[in-house]
PDB file of all heavy atoms in Angstrom:
ATOM      1  N   ARG A   1    -100.060-119.784  27.774  1.00  0.00           N
ATOM      2  CA  ARG A   1     -99.276-119.864  29.012  1.00  0.00           C
ATOM      3  C   ARG A   1     -98.032-120.734  28.867  1.00  0.00           C
ATOM      4  O   ARG A   1     -97.013-120.465  29.457  1.00  0.00           O
ATOM      5  CB  ARG A   1    -100.128-120.440  30.150  1.00  0.00           C
ATOM      6  CG  ARG A   1    -101.301-119.598  30.548  1.00  0.00           C
ATOM      7  CD  ARG A   1    -102.100-120.186  31.715  1.00  0.00           C
ATOM      8  NE  ARG A   1    -102.551-121.558  31.469  1.00  0.00           N
ATOM      9  CZ  ARG A   1    -102.025-122.638  32.037  1.00  0.00           C
ATOM     10  NH1 ARG A   1    -101.048-122.543  32.893  1.00  0.00           N
ATOM     11  NH2 ARG A   1    -102.478-123.833  31.754  1.00  0.00           N
ATOM     12  N   THR A   2     -98.153-121.828  28.110  1.00  0.00           N
ATOM     13  CA  THR A   2     -97.042-122.758  27.984  1.00  0.00           C
ATOM     14  C   THR A   2     -96.334-122.553  26.645  1.00  0.00           C
ATOM     15  O   THR A   2     -96.907-122.025  25.700  1.00  0.00           O
ATOM     16  CB  THR A   2     -97.519-124.224  28.084  1.00  0.00           C
ATOM     17  OG1 THR A   2     -98.514-124.445  27.079  1.00  0.00           O
ATOM     18  CG2 THR A   2     -98.094-124.525  29.449  1.00  0.00           C
ATOM     19  N   CYS A   3     -95.077-122.984  26.591  1.00  0.00           N
ATOM     20  CA  CYS A   3     -94.278-122.831  25.386  1.00  0.00           C
ATOM     21  C   CYS A   3     -94.165-124.169  24.674  1.00  0.00           C
ATOM     22  O   CYS A   3     -93.983-125.201  25.316  1.00  0.00           O
ATOM     23  CB  CYS A   3     -92.885-122.323  25.752  1.00  0.00           C
ATOM     24  SG  CYS A   3     -92.915-120.682  26.503  1.00  0.00           S
ATOM     25  N   VAL A   4     -94.281-124.128  23.357  1.00  0.00           N
ATOM     26  CA  VAL A   4     -94.134-125.336  22.550  1.00  0.00           C
ATOM     27  C   VAL A   4     -92.915-125.170  21.643  1.00  0.00           C
ATOM     28  O   VAL A   4     -92.556-124.057  21.259  1.00  0.00           O
ATOM     29  CB  VAL A   4     -95.399-125.656  21.715  1.00  0.00           C
ATOM     30  CG1 VAL A   4     -96.561-126.031  22.614  1.00  0.00           C
ATOM     31  CG2 VAL A   4     -95.778-124.498  20.821  1.00  0.00           C
ATOM     32  N   ASP A   5     -92.302-126.280  21.323  1.00  0.00           N
ATOM     33  CA  ASP A   5     -91.075-126.282  20.531  1.00  0.00           C
ATOM     34  C   ASP A   5     -91.352-125.979  19.065  1.00  0.00           C
ATOM     35  O   ASP A   5     -92.365-126.406  18.508  1.00  0.00           O
ATOM     36  CB  ASP A   5     -90.410-127.664  20.653  1.00  0.00           C
ATOM     37  CG  ASP A   5     -89.107-127.745  19.894  1.00  0.00           C
ATOM     38  OD1 ASP A   5     -88.248-126.874  20.109  1.00  0.00           O
ATOM     39  OD2 ASP A   5     -88.955-128.678  19.086  1.00  0.00           O
ATOM     40  N   ILE A   6     -90.441-125.238  18.458  1.00  0.00           N
ATOM     41  CA  ILE A   6     -90.443-125.030  17.010  1.00  0.00           C
ATOM     42  C   ILE A   6     -89.366-125.960  16.455  1.00  0.00           C
ATOM     43  O   ILE A   6     -88.226-125.908  16.903  1.00  0.00           O
ATOM     44  CB  ILE A   6     -90.099-123.566  16.652  1.00  0.00           C
ATOM     45  CG1 ILE A   6     -91.152-122.610  17.196  1.00  0.00           C
ATOM     46  CG2 ILE A   6     -89.936-123.407  15.149  1.00  0.00           C
ATOM     47  CD1 ILE A   6     -90.754-121.142  17.111  1.00  0.00           C
ATOM     48  N   ASP A   7     -89.725-126.805  15.511  1.00  0.00           N
ATOM     49  CA  ASP A   7     -88.743-127.722  14.918  1.00  0.00           C
ATOM     50  C   ASP A   7     -87.994-126.975  13.814  1.00  0.00           C
ATOM     51  O   ASP A   7     -88.455-126.885  12.681  1.00  0.00           O
ATOM     52  CB  ASP A   7     -89.448-128.961  14.364  1.00  0.00           C
ATOM     53  CG  ASP A   7     -88.480-130.032  13.887  1.00  0.00           C
ATOM     54  OD1 ASP A   7     -87.288-129.712  13.646  1.00  0.00           O
ATOM     55  OD2 ASP A   7     -88.907-131.191  13.752  1.00  0.00           O
ATOM     56  N   GLU A   8     -86.836-126.416  14.174  1.00  0.00           N
ATOM     57  CA  GLU A   8     -86.042-125.637  13.223  1.00  0.00           C
ATOM     58  C   GLU A   8     -85.585-126.488  12.043  1.00  0.00           C
ATOM     59  O   GLU A   8     -85.406-125.973  10.938  1.00  0.00           O
ATOM     60  CB  GLU A   8     -84.804-125.027  13.905  1.00  0.00           C
ATOM     61  CG  GLU A   8     -85.107-124.011  14.958  1.00  0.00           C
ATOM     62  CD  GLU A   8     -85.341-124.607  16.338  1.00  0.00           C
ATOM     63  OE1 GLU A   8     -85.354-125.847  16.470  1.00  0.00           O
ATOM     64  OE2 GLU A   8     -85.526-123.829  17.272  1.00  0.00           O
ATOM     65  N   CYS A   9     -85.392-127.780  12.269  1.00  0.00           N
ATOM     66  CA  CYS A   9     -84.940-128.673  11.197  1.00  0.00           C
ATOM     67  C   CYS A   9     -86.034-128.834  10.141  1.00  0.00           C
ATOM     68  O   CYS A   9     -85.760-128.791   8.946  1.00  0.00           O
ATOM     69  CB  CYS A   9     -84.562-130.039  11.765  1.00  0.00           C
ATOM     70  SG  CYS A   9     -83.277-129.958  13.034  1.00  0.00           S
ATOM     71  N   ALA A  10     -87.277-129.000  10.583  1.00  0.00           N
ATOM     72  CA  ALA A  10     -88.397-129.202   9.652  1.00  0.00           C
ATOM     73  C   ALA A  10     -88.806-127.910   8.959  1.00  0.00           C
ATOM     74  O   ALA A  10     -89.241-127.936   7.813  1.00  0.00           O
ATOM     75  CB  ALA A  10     -89.590-129.801  10.403  1.00  0.00           C
ATOM     76  N   THR A  11     -88.658-126.773   9.645  1.00  0.00           N
ATOM     77  CA  THR A  11     -89.097-125.502   9.063  1.00  0.00           C
ATOM     78  C   THR A  11     -88.029-124.873   8.180  1.00  0.00           C
ATOM     79  O   THR A  11     -88.296-123.881   7.510  1.00  0.00           O
ATOM     80  CB  THR A  11     -89.468-124.489  10.161  1.00  0.00           C
ATOM     81  OG1 THR A  11     -88.319-124.243  10.984  1.00  0.00           O
ATOM     82  CG2 THR A  11     -90.613-124.972  11.013  1.00  0.00           C
ATOM     83  N   GLY A  12     -86.817-125.420   8.184  1.00  0.00           N
ATOM     84  CA  GLY A  12     -85.743-124.877   7.352  1.00  0.00           C
ATOM     85  C   GLY A  12     -85.033-123.682   7.977  1.00  0.00           C
ATOM     86  O   GLY A  12     -84.231-123.029   7.326  1.00  0.00           O
ATOM     87  N   ARG A  13     -85.312-123.390   9.246  1.00  0.00           N
ATOM     88  CA  ARG A  13     -84.640-122.276   9.935  1.00  0.00           C
ATOM     89  C   ARG A  13     -83.180-122.590  10.238  1.00  0.00           C
ATOM     90  O   ARG A  13     -82.378-121.692  10.403  1.00  0.00           O
ATOM     91  CB  ARG A  13     -85.330-121.975  11.268  1.00  0.00           C
ATOM     92  CG  ARG A  13     -86.620-121.253  11.153  1.00  0.00           C
ATOM     93  CD  ARG A  13     -87.120-120.968  12.559  1.00  0.00           C
ATOM     94  NE  ARG A  13     -88.299-120.130  12.542  1.00  0.00           N
ATOM     95  CZ  ARG A  13     -88.897-119.699  13.630  1.00  0.00           C
ATOM     96  NH1 ARG A  13     -88.422-120.025  14.811  1.00  0.00           N
ATOM     97  NH2 ARG A  13     -89.962-118.943  13.550  1.00  0.00           N
ATOM     98  N   ALA A  14     -82.871-123.876  10.337  1.00  0.00           N
ATOM     99  CA  ALA A  14     -81.510-124.291  10.729  1.00  0.00           C
ATOM    100  C   ALA A  14     -80.641-124.508   9.500  1.00  0.00           C
ATOM    101  O   ALA A  14     -81.071-125.123   8.531  1.00  0.00           O
ATOM    102  CB  ALA A  14     -81.586-125.574  11.542  1.00  0.00           C
ATOM    103  N   LEU A  15     -79.440-124.004   9.563  1.00  0.00           N
ATOM    104  CA  LEU A  15     -78.455-124.240   8.510  1.00  0.00           C
ATOM    105  C   LEU A  15     -77.249-124.903   9.145  1.00  0.00           C
ATOM    106  O   LEU A  15     -76.619-124.336  10.034  1.00  0.00           O
ATOM    107  CB  LEU A  15     -78.042-122.923   7.860  1.00  0.00           C
ATOM    108  CG  LEU A  15     -79.128-122.190   7.075  1.00  0.00           C
ATOM    109  CD1 LEU A  15     -78.637-120.832   6.619  1.00  0.00           C
ATOM    110  CD2 LEU A  15     -79.565-123.019   5.876  1.00  0.00           C
ATOM    111  N   CYS A  16     -76.956-126.113   8.701  1.00  0.00           N
ATOM    112  CA  CYS A  16     -75.820-126.847   9.260  1.00  0.00           C
ATOM    113  C   CYS A  16     -74.677-126.862   8.251  1.00  0.00           C
ATOM    114  O   CYS A  16     -74.903-126.937   7.046  1.00  0.00           O
ATOM    115  CB  CYS A  16     -76.234-128.278   9.593  1.00  0.00           C
ATOM    116  SG  CYS A  16     -77.361-128.377  11.004  1.00  0.00           S
ATOM    117  N   PRO A  17     -73.422-126.813   8.757  1.00  0.00           N
ATOM    118  CA  PRO A  17     -72.260-126.863   7.872  1.00  0.00           C
ATOM    119  C   PRO A  17     -72.153-128.198   7.133  1.00  0.00           C
ATOM    120  O   PRO A  17     -72.868-129.153   7.435  1.00  0.00           O
ATOM    121  CB  PRO A  17     -71.071-126.684   8.815  1.00  0.00           C
ATOM    122  CG  PRO A  17     -71.629-126.243  10.116  1.00  0.00           C
ATOM    123  CD  PRO A  17     -73.059-126.664  10.154  1.00  0.00           C
ATOM    124  N   ARG A  18     -71.208-128.257   6.217  1.00  0.00           N
ATOM    125  CA  ARG A  18     -70.972-129.449   5.402  1.00  0.00           C
ATOM    126  C   ARG A  18     -70.717-130.679   6.278  1.00  0.00           C
ATOM    127  O   ARG A  18     -70.042-130.583   7.297  1.00  0.00           O
ATOM    128  CB  ARG A  18     -69.750-129.172   4.526  1.00  0.00           C
ATOM    129  CG  ARG A  18     -69.499-130.204   3.489  1.00  0.00           C
ATOM    130  CD  ARG A  18     -68.405-129.738   2.559  1.00  0.00           C
ATOM    131  NE  ARG A  18     -68.186-130.750   1.544  1.00  0.00           N
ATOM    132  CZ  ARG A  18     -67.003-131.084   1.099  1.00  0.00           C
ATOM    133  NH1 ARG A  18     -65.933-130.484   1.547  1.00  0.00           N
ATOM    134  NH2 ARG A  18     -66.888-132.010   0.186  1.00  0.00           N
ATOM    135  N   PHE A  19     -71.229-131.805   5.851  1.00  0.00           N
ATOM    136  CA  PHE A  19     -71.106-133.113   6.516  1.00  0.00           C
ATOM    137  C   PHE A  19     -71.846-133.173   7.860  1.00  0.00           C
ATOM    138  O   PHE A  19     -71.547-134.012   8.692  1.00  0.00           O
ATOM    139  CB  PHE A  19     -69.640-133.528   6.714  1.00  0.00           C
ATOM    140  CG  PHE A  19     -68.834-133.575   5.453  1.00  0.00           C
ATOM    141  CD1 PHE A  19     -67.643-132.878   5.356  1.00  0.00           C
ATOM    142  CD2 PHE A  19     -69.255-134.318   4.366  1.00  0.00           C
ATOM    143  CE1 PHE A  19     -66.889-132.917   4.194  1.00  0.00           C
ATOM    144  CE2 PHE A  19     -68.510-134.366   3.205  1.00  0.00           C
ATOM    145  CZ  PHE A  19     -67.326-133.663   3.117  1.00  0.00           C
ATOM    146  N   ARG A  20     -72.802-132.272   8.079  1.00  0.00           N
ATOM    147  CA  ARG A  20     -73.600-132.306   9.314  1.00  0.00           C
ATOM    148  C   ARG A  20     -75.078-132.277   8.963  1.00  0.00           C
ATOM    149  O   ARG A  20     -75.472-131.759   7.934  1.00  0.00           O
ATOM    150  CB  ARG A  20     -73.287-131.105  10.203  1.00  0.00           C
ATOM    151  CG  ARG A  20     -71.885-131.098  10.719  1.00  0.00           C
ATOM    152  CD  ARG A  20     -71.687-130.006  11.725  1.00  0.00           C
ATOM    153  NE  ARG A  20     -70.289-129.735  11.952  1.00  0.00           N
ATOM    154  CZ  ARG A  20     -69.847-128.975  12.915  1.00  0.00           C
ATOM    155  NH1 ARG A  20     -70.682-128.387  13.738  1.00  0.00           N
ATOM    156  NH2 ARG A  20     -68.556-128.765  13.065  1.00  0.00           N
ATOM    157  N   HIS A  21     -75.880-132.831   9.850  1.00  0.00           N
ATOM    158  CA  HIS A  21     -77.337-132.787   9.686  1.00  0.00           C
ATOM    159  C   HIS A  21     -77.967-132.218  10.951  1.00  0.00           C
ATOM    160  O   HIS A  21     -77.388-132.255  12.030  1.00  0.00           O
ATOM    161  CB  HIS A  21     -77.896-134.181   9.357  1.00  0.00           C
ATOM    162  CG  HIS A  21     -77.686-135.183  10.454  1.00  0.00           C
ATOM    163  ND1 HIS A  21     -76.497-135.858  10.626  1.00  0.00           N
ATOM    164  CD2 HIS A  21     -78.509-135.609  11.446  1.00  0.00           C
ATOM    165  CE1 HIS A  21     -76.602-136.657  11.666  1.00  0.00           C
ATOM    166  NE2 HIS A  21     -77.806-136.533  12.193  1.00  0.00           N
ATOM    167  N   CYS A  22     -79.150-131.686  10.792  1.00  0.00           N
ATOM    168  CA  CYS A  22     -79.866-131.001  11.868  1.00  0.00           C
ATOM    169  C   CYS A  22     -80.601-132.006  12.756  1.00  0.00           C
ATOM    170  O   CYS A  22     -81.241-132.936  12.260  1.00  0.00           O
ATOM    171  CB  CYS A  22     -80.860-130.027  11.242  1.00  0.00           C
ATOM    172  SG  CYS A  22     -81.765-129.035  12.442  1.00  0.00           S
ATOM    173  N   VAL A  23     -80.493-131.802  14.074  1.00  0.00           N
ATOM    174  CA  VAL A  23     -81.235-132.599  15.052  1.00  0.00           C
ATOM    175  C   VAL A  23     -81.968-131.608  15.952  1.00  0.00           C
ATOM    176  O   VAL A  23     -81.343-130.753  16.585  1.00  0.00           O
ATOM    177  CB  VAL A  23     -80.288-133.494  15.892  1.00  0.00           C
ATOM    178  CG1 VAL A  23     -81.065-134.256  16.959  1.00  0.00           C
ATOM    179  CG2 VAL A  23     -79.504-134.446  14.999  1.00  0.00           C
ATOM    180  N   ASN A  24     -83.290-131.688  15.988  1.00  0.00           N
ATOM    181  CA  ASN A  24     -84.085-130.771  16.794  1.00  0.00           C
ATOM    182  C   ASN A  24     -83.939-131.086  18.279  1.00  0.00           C
ATOM    183  O   ASN A  24     -83.844-132.242  18.672  1.00  0.00           O
ATOM    184  CB  ASN A  24     -85.563-130.862  16.388  1.00  0.00           C
ATOM    185  CG  ASN A  24     -86.393-129.776  17.024  1.00  0.00           C
ATOM    186  OD1 ASN A  24     -86.069-128.603  16.928  1.00  0.00           O
ATOM    187  ND2 ASN A  24     -87.460-130.165  17.684  1.00  0.00           N
ATOM    188  N   THR A  25     -83.884-130.037  19.105  1.00  0.00           N
ATOM    189  CA  THR A  25     -83.906-130.174  20.559  1.00  0.00           C
ATOM    190  C   THR A  25     -84.983-129.240  21.075  1.00  0.00           C
ATOM    191  O   THR A  25     -85.469-128.382  20.336  1.00  0.00           O
ATOM    192  CB  THR A  25     -82.546-129.782  21.195  1.00  0.00           C
ATOM    193  OG1 THR A  25     -82.275-128.413  20.895  1.00  0.00           O
ATOM    194  CG2 THR A  25     -81.420-130.666  20.692  1.00  0.00           C
ATOM    195  N   PHE A  26     -85.373-129.355  22.332  1.00  0.00           N
ATOM    196  CA  PHE A  26     -86.422-128.486  22.870  1.00  0.00           C
ATOM    197  C   PHE A  26     -85.883-127.061  22.964  1.00  0.00           C
ATOM    198  O   PHE A  26     -84.952-126.789  23.702  1.00  0.00           O
ATOM    199  CB  PHE A  26     -86.892-128.970  24.242  1.00  0.00           C
ATOM    200  CG  PHE A  26     -88.069-128.189  24.769  1.00  0.00           C
ATOM    201  CD1 PHE A  26     -89.328-128.396  24.247  1.00  0.00           C
ATOM    202  CD2 PHE A  26     -87.907-127.237  25.763  1.00  0.00           C
ATOM    203  CE1 PHE A  26     -90.407-127.675  24.709  1.00  0.00           C
ATOM    204  CE2 PHE A  26     -88.979-126.512  26.232  1.00  0.00           C
ATOM    205  CZ  PHE A  26     -90.242-126.733  25.708  1.00  0.00           C
ATOM    206  N   GLY A  27     -86.438-126.184  22.159  1.00  0.00           N
ATOM    207  CA  GLY A  27     -86.057-124.779  22.172  1.00  0.00           C
ATOM    208  C   GLY A  27     -84.892-124.426  21.277  1.00  0.00           C
ATOM    209  O   GLY A  27     -84.524-123.271  21.162  1.00  0.00           O
ATOM    210  N   SER A  28     -84.303-125.411  20.598  1.00  0.00           N
ATOM    211  CA  SER A  28     -83.160-125.121  19.745  1.00  0.00           C
ATOM    212  C   SER A  28     -82.915-126.302  18.798  1.00  0.00           C
ATOM    213  O   SER A  28     -83.833-127.072  18.501  1.00  0.00           O
ATOM    214  CB  SER A  28     -81.916-124.849  20.595  1.00  0.00           C
ATOM    215  OG  SER A  28     -80.885-124.326  19.798  1.00  0.00           O
ATOM    216  N   TYR A  29     -81.673-126.455  18.344  1.00  0.00           N
ATOM    217  CA  TYR A  29     -81.261-127.568  17.497  1.00  0.00           C
ATOM    218  C   TYR A  29     -79.748-127.704  17.583  1.00  0.00           C
ATOM    219  O   TYR A  29     -79.062-126.800  18.055  1.00  0.00           O
ATOM    220  CB  TYR A  29     -81.688-127.361  16.041  1.00  0.00           C
ATOM    221  CG  TYR A  29     -80.969-126.217  15.358  1.00  0.00           C
ATOM    222  CD1 TYR A  29     -79.831-126.430  14.604  1.00  0.00           C
ATOM    223  CD2 TYR A  29     -81.420-124.910  15.487  1.00  0.00           C
ATOM    224  CE1 TYR A  29     -79.149-125.382  13.995  1.00  0.00           C
ATOM    225  CE2 TYR A  29     -80.755-123.853  14.879  1.00  0.00           C
ATOM    226  CZ  TYR A  29     -79.631-124.096  14.132  1.00  0.00           C
ATOM    227  OH  TYR A  29     -78.960-123.063  13.532  1.00  0.00           O
ATOM    228  N   ILE A  30     -79.251-128.858  17.154  1.00  0.00           N
ATOM    229  CA  ILE A  30     -77.805-129.058  17.055  1.00  0.00           C
ATOM    230  C   ILE A  30     -77.502-129.603  15.662  1.00  0.00           C
ATOM    231  O   ILE A  30     -78.367-130.172  15.004  1.00  0.00           O
ATOM    232  CB  ILE A  30     -77.254-130.029  18.139  1.00  0.00           C
ATOM    233  CG1 ILE A  30     -77.951-131.393  18.067  1.00  0.00           C
ATOM    234  CG2 ILE A  30     -77.356-129.426  19.509  1.00  0.00           C
ATOM    235  CD1 ILE A  30     -77.320-132.453  18.946  1.00  0.00           C
ATOM    236  N   CYS A  31     -76.273-129.388  15.213  1.00  0.00           N
ATOM    237  CA  CYS A  31     -75.810-129.934  13.936  1.00  0.00           C
ATOM    238  C   CYS A  31     -74.859-131.083  14.260  1.00  0.00           C
ATOM    239  O   CYS A  31     -73.796-130.866  14.821  1.00  0.00           O
ATOM    240  CB  CYS A  31     -75.105-128.857  13.123  1.00  0.00           C
ATOM    241  SG  CYS A  31     -76.211-127.546  12.568  1.00  0.00           S
ATOM    242  N   ARG A  32     -75.269-132.286  13.933  1.00  0.00           N
ATOM    243  CA  ARG A  32     -74.491-133.486  14.254  1.00  0.00           C
ATOM    244  C   ARG A  32     -73.811-134.006  12.985  1.00  0.00           C
ATOM    245  O   ARG A  32     -74.375-133.927  11.901  1.00  0.00           O
ATOM    246  CB  ARG A  32     -75.438-134.550  14.822  1.00  0.00           C
ATOM    247  CG  ARG A  32     -74.726-135.752  15.370  1.00  0.00           C
ATOM    248  CD  ARG A  32     -75.634-136.664  16.149  1.00  0.00           C
ATOM    249  NE  ARG A  32     -75.885-136.068  17.458  1.00  0.00           N
ATOM    250  CZ  ARG A  32     -76.960-136.284  18.175  1.00  0.00           C
ATOM    251  NH1 ARG A  32     -77.926-137.056  17.737  1.00  0.00           N
ATOM    252  NH2 ARG A  32     -77.109-135.719  19.354  1.00  0.00           N
ATOM    253  N   CYS A  33     -72.608-134.543  13.149  1.00  0.00           N
ATOM    254  CA  CYS A  33     -71.872-135.097  12.008  1.00  0.00           C
ATOM    255  C   CYS A  33     -72.653-136.257  11.396  1.00  0.00           C
ATOM    256  O   CYS A  33     -73.290-137.046  12.109  1.00  0.00           O
ATOM    257  CB  CYS A  33     -70.503-135.620  12.449  1.00  0.00           C
ATOM    258  SG  CYS A  33     -69.352-134.321  12.928  1.00  0.00           S
ATOM    259  N   HIS A  34     -72.589-136.357  10.051  1.00  0.00           N
ATOM    260  CA  HIS A  34     -73.199-137.487   9.357  1.00  0.00           C
ATOM    261  C   HIS A  34     -72.534-138.783   9.810  1.00  0.00           C
ATOM    262  O   HIS A  34     -71.402-138.777  10.303  1.00  0.00           O
ATOM    263  CB  HIS A  34     -73.008-137.367   7.842  1.00  0.00           C
ATOM    264  CG  HIS A  34     -73.804-136.275   7.203  1.00  0.00           C
ATOM    265  ND1 HIS A  34     -75.147-136.088   7.395  1.00  0.00           N
ATOM    266  CD2 HIS A  34     -73.420-135.286   6.347  1.00  0.00           C
ATOM    267  CE1 HIS A  34     -75.568-135.058   6.696  1.00  0.00           C
ATOM    268  NE2 HIS A  34     -74.535-134.536   6.057  1.00  0.00           N
ATOM    269  N   LYS A  35     -73.231-139.882   9.604  1.00  0.00           N
ATOM    270  CA  LYS A  35     -72.665-141.189   9.897  1.00  0.00           C
ATOM    271  C   LYS A  35     -71.403-141.353   9.054  1.00  0.00           C
ATOM    272  O   LYS A  35     -71.382-140.989   7.883  1.00  0.00           O
ATOM    273  CB  LYS A  35     -73.684-142.277   9.552  1.00  0.00           C
ATOM    274  CG  LYS A  35     -73.253-143.643   9.981  1.00  0.00           C
ATOM    275  CD  LYS A  35     -74.317-144.683   9.723  1.00  0.00           C
ATOM    276  CE  LYS A  35     -73.811-145.986  10.268  1.00  0.00           C
ATOM    277  NZ  LYS A  35     -74.237-147.145   9.612  1.00  0.00           N
ATOM    278  N   GLY A  36     -70.359-141.889   9.643  1.00  0.00           N
ATOM    279  CA  GLY A  36     -69.095-142.075   8.936  1.00  0.00           C
ATOM    280  C   GLY A  36     -68.140-140.895   9.097  1.00  0.00           C
ATOM    281  O   GLY A  36     -67.065-140.888   8.519  1.00  0.00           O
ATOM    282  N   PHE A  37     -68.558-139.887   9.890  1.00  0.00           N
ATOM    283  CA  PHE A  37     -67.719-138.723  10.156  1.00  0.00           C
ATOM    284  C   PHE A  37     -67.621-138.520  11.666  1.00  0.00           C
ATOM    285  O   PHE A  37     -68.549-138.839  12.399  1.00  0.00           O
ATOM    286  CB  PHE A  37     -68.323-137.457   9.527  1.00  0.00           C
ATOM    287  CG  PHE A  37     -68.261-137.438   8.025  1.00  0.00           C
ATOM    288  CD1 PHE A  37     -69.231-138.084   7.275  1.00  0.00           C
ATOM    289  CD2 PHE A  37     -67.239-136.796   7.371  1.00  0.00           C
ATOM    290  CE1 PHE A  37     -69.182-138.074   5.887  1.00  0.00           C
ATOM    291  CE2 PHE A  37     -67.183-136.768   5.987  1.00  0.00           C
ATOM    292  CZ  PHE A  37     -68.161-137.410   5.240  1.00  0.00           C
ATOM    293  N   ASP A  38     -66.483-137.992  12.118  1.00  0.00           N
ATOM    294  CA  ASP A  38     -66.269-137.672  13.532  1.00  0.00           C
ATOM    295  C   ASP A  38     -65.998-136.184  13.668  1.00  0.00           C
ATOM    296  O   ASP A  38     -65.352-135.587  12.809  1.00  0.00           O
ATOM    297  CB  ASP A  38     -65.055-138.422  14.086  1.00  0.00           C
ATOM    298  CG  ASP A  38     -65.429-139.715  14.771  1.00  0.00           C
ATOM    299  OD1 ASP A  38     -66.602-139.885  15.136  1.00  0.00           O
ATOM    300  OD2 ASP A  38     -64.527-140.562  14.933  1.00  0.00           O
ATOM    301  N   LEU A  39     -66.449-135.586  14.777  1.00  0.00           N
ATOM    302  CA  LEU A  39     -66.173-134.188  15.055  1.00  0.00           C
ATOM    303  C   LEU A  39     -64.756-134.083  15.605  1.00  0.00           C
ATOM    304  O   LEU A  39     -64.420-134.713  16.600  1.00  0.00           O
ATOM    305  CB  LEU A  39     -67.184-133.636  16.069  1.00  0.00           C
ATOM    306  CG  LEU A  39     -67.163-132.135  16.282  1.00  0.00           C
ATOM    307  CD1 LEU A  39     -67.536-131.398  15.004  1.00  0.00           C
ATOM    308  CD2 LEU A  39     -68.118-131.746  17.391  1.00  0.00           C
ATOM    309  N   MET A  40     -63.927-133.285  14.926  1.00  0.00           N
ATOM    310  CA  MET A  40     -62.529-133.124  15.337  1.00  0.00           C
ATOM    311  C   MET A  40     -62.162-131.650  15.326  1.00  0.00           C
ATOM    312  O   MET A  40     -62.734-130.870  14.569  1.00  0.00           O
ATOM    313  CB  MET A  40     -61.593-133.873  14.387  1.00  0.00           C
ATOM    314  CG  MET A  40     -61.777-135.358  14.399  1.00  0.00           C
ATOM    315  SD  MET A  40     -60.607-136.102  13.263  1.00  0.00           S
ATOM    316  CE  MET A  40     -60.682-137.779  13.749  1.00  0.00           C
TER     317      MET A  40
END
């Protein structure tokens, strides 16, 4: 009946561009810039 989150970062489903790392969210994920980098 209820939905549980799939951690795309841990399962390898997520592919993030260069200088970004995967951050899991409920129902999805985001690619956040590594420390020392800014999104421009």
Side-chain angles (χ1 to χ4, degrees):
R1 296 182 305 106
T2 57
C3 297
V4 293
D5 182 52
I6 297 169
D7 187 341
E8 295 87 355
C9 302
T11 60
R13 284 183 173 183
L15 294 174
C16 290
R18 189 172 181 220
F19 303 127
R20 295 188 196 190
H21 63 278
C22 183
V23 177
N24 190 52
T25 61
F26 186 75
S28 191
Y29 67 94
I30 57 171
C31 293
R32 188 169 284 153
C33 291
H34 290 310
K35 187 176 183 211
F37 290 83
D38 265 341
L39 190 63
M40 296 181 165

